[in-house]
Amino acid sequence: MFVLGIDPGVSRCGYGGVRSQGRQWQAVCAGVLESDPGLALPVRLAGLRRDLAELFEALRPDVVVVERVLFQVNATTAMATGQASGLALAEAAARGCPVVEYSANEVKLAVAGDGAAGKRAVQRAVADQLRLPAPPRPPDAADALALALCHLASLPLRRALAAQGVAP
Amino acid sequence: MFVLGIDPGVSRCGYGGVRSQGRQWQAVCAGVLESDPGLALPVRLAGLRRDLAELFEALRPDVVVVERVLFQVNATTAMATGQASGLALAEAAARGCPVVEYSANEVKLAVAGDGAAGKRAVQRAVADQLRLPAPPRPPDAADALALALCHLASLPLRRALAAQGVAP
């Protein structure tokens, strides 16, 4: 199974792909889609939409995992992040690709064992689980890999619940 | 000039088109794009994206006017509205169509003369300015027409500022 994590953002949108074979997880790709802060917001969003479409077309993930955007201290940033997440969710669904959302706390709990883990702890956990020599850079790419790992870690529980007819 | 207003939302996304010829303004269309609340959010967003693309393709507006989404009391609703607005902004910009955003208060001030005007006062003002026998229904469609009227009302000021080299 190939899981693609998306850490949504207009300025920097992280992506990270992890392939699972049995209990082996392997990082396939990680990077950041960026937009020019000098452009108007609609133009930046259109560029992000095009970049996401090209990414999904090139990678053809089995599942796309997008961070669920919650309200943050900075209202303007949160709204732009929400707009970016909307583009990612719509692009995946339009391709018929399953999409799952997890909150940042769910990701931290699943990957670092602590829902309040700091950024560095999550990045080290990502590097450990994917047997990488160093935490992936930039941080947005590491966060996207963490999203993919969170989904892979939750699959046994999801399958057990589904077998009992319970939606996760 | 044909101006298309978009009142973004996932459950109900209002649209309203106004054509201006000199100082004459005429309502061309008004309606609501709806999505099935029983479907998953990504599928609903993909459906809205498709509906918006079809609407822009059919109407070919000169300008798209989208309500600027600000933080509201209901955080979940505001985020979904932000996601819907992101789709509208990206779709318009991807077509090379100019996009403008106004806040709800700016629309109320421009259309009803009072930035704190109630929904009904705005709807009556929309009906008056477009010489409609009754306020347009449903309210989302009236709000979208108000967005288009707000832009048309602001054009003389925008042009005057542009002539002085000042960005509005």
Side-chain angles (χ1 to χ4, degrees):
Chain A
M1 172 182 280
F2 178 43
V3 181
L4 181 65
I6 299 288
D7 182 29
V10 175
S11 294
R12 302 171 61 78
C13 181
Y15 67 90
V18 177
R19 191 172 299 281
S20 73
Q21 287 189 312
R23 295 186 62 175
Q24 283 281 9
W25 296 342
Q26 187 190 358
V28 174
C29 61
V32 171
L33 308 173
E34 294 183 275
S35 71
D36 179 352
L39 297 175
L41 176 65
V43 177
R44 298 175 75 184
L45 290 169
L48 175 60
R49 190 180 86 160
R50 188 187 58 240
D51 289 347
L52 286 168
E54 288 176 2
L55 190 72
F56 293 177
E57 177 66 24
L59 298 175
R60 298 183 178 269
D62 298 308
V63 181
V64 168
V65 184
V66 181
E67 183 173 321
R68 177 175 285 122
V69 184
L70 303 172
F71 278 66
Q72 303 159 346
V73 178
N74 186 328
T76 306
T77 305
M79 193 51 75
T81 309
Q83 291 171 325
S85 82
L87 297 181
L89 296 171
E91 183 64 39
R95 295 177 164 267
C97 179
V99 201
V100 191
E101 289 182 282
Y102 296 97
S103 70
N105 287 3
E106 288 171 325
V107 173
K108 290 172 182 175
L109 183 62
V111 175
D114 175 2
K119 282 243 168 223
R120 296 213 170 184
V122 173
Q123 289 169 21
R124 279 196 300 271
V126 167
D128 284 350
Q129 292 180 28
L130 293 171
R131 299 172 309 286
L132 301 172
R137 307 266 321 157
D140 314 75
D143 289 345
L145 287 170
L147 279 157
L149 290 175
C150 173
H151 183 66
L152 286 167
S154 80
L155 278 180
L157 178 61
R158 284 179 169 263
R159 284 179 180 141
L161 289 170
Q164 295 173 49
V166 183
Chain B
M1 173 181 281
F2 178 42
V3 181
L4 180 64
I6 299 287
D7 182 28
V10 176
S11 295
R12 303 171 61 80
C13 181
Y15 66 89
V18 177
R19 191 173 299 282
S20 73
Q21 287 189 312
R23 296 186 63 175
Q24 282 282 8
W25 296 343
Q26 186 189 357
V28 173
C29 60
V32 172
L33 307 173
E34 292 183 277
S35 71
D36 179 351
L39 297 175
L41 176 65
V43 177
R44 298 175 74 184
L45 290 169
L48 175 59
R49 191 180 83 159
R50 189 187 56 239
D51 289 347
L52 286 168
E54 289 176 2
L55 189 71
F56 293 177
E57 177 64 26
L59 297 175
R60 300 183 179 269
D62 298 307
V63 182
V64 169
V65 184
V66 181
E67 183 172 321
R68 176 174 286 121
V69 184
L70 302 173
F71 278 66
Q72 302 160 346
V73 178
N74 186 328
T76 307
T77 305
M79 192 51 77
T81 309
Q83 291 171 325
S85 81
L87 298 180
L89 295 172
E91 183 64 40
R95 295 176 164 268
C97 179
V99 201
V100 190
E101 290 183 282
Y102 297 96
S103 71
N105 287 4
E106 288 171 327
V107 173
K108 289 172 182 175
L109 183 62
V111 175
D114 175 2
K119 282 244 168 220
R120 298 215 169 182
V122 173
Q123 289 169 21
R124 277 196 301 270
V126 167
D128 284 350
Q129 291 180 28
L130 293 170
R131 298 171 310 286
L132 301 172
R137 308 266 321 157
D140 314 75
D143 289 345
L145 287 170
L147 279 157
L149 290 175
C150 173
H151 182 65
L152 287 167
S154 79
L155 278 181
L157 178 61
R158 284 180 171 263
R159 286 179 181 142
L161 289 170
Q164 295 174 50
V166 183

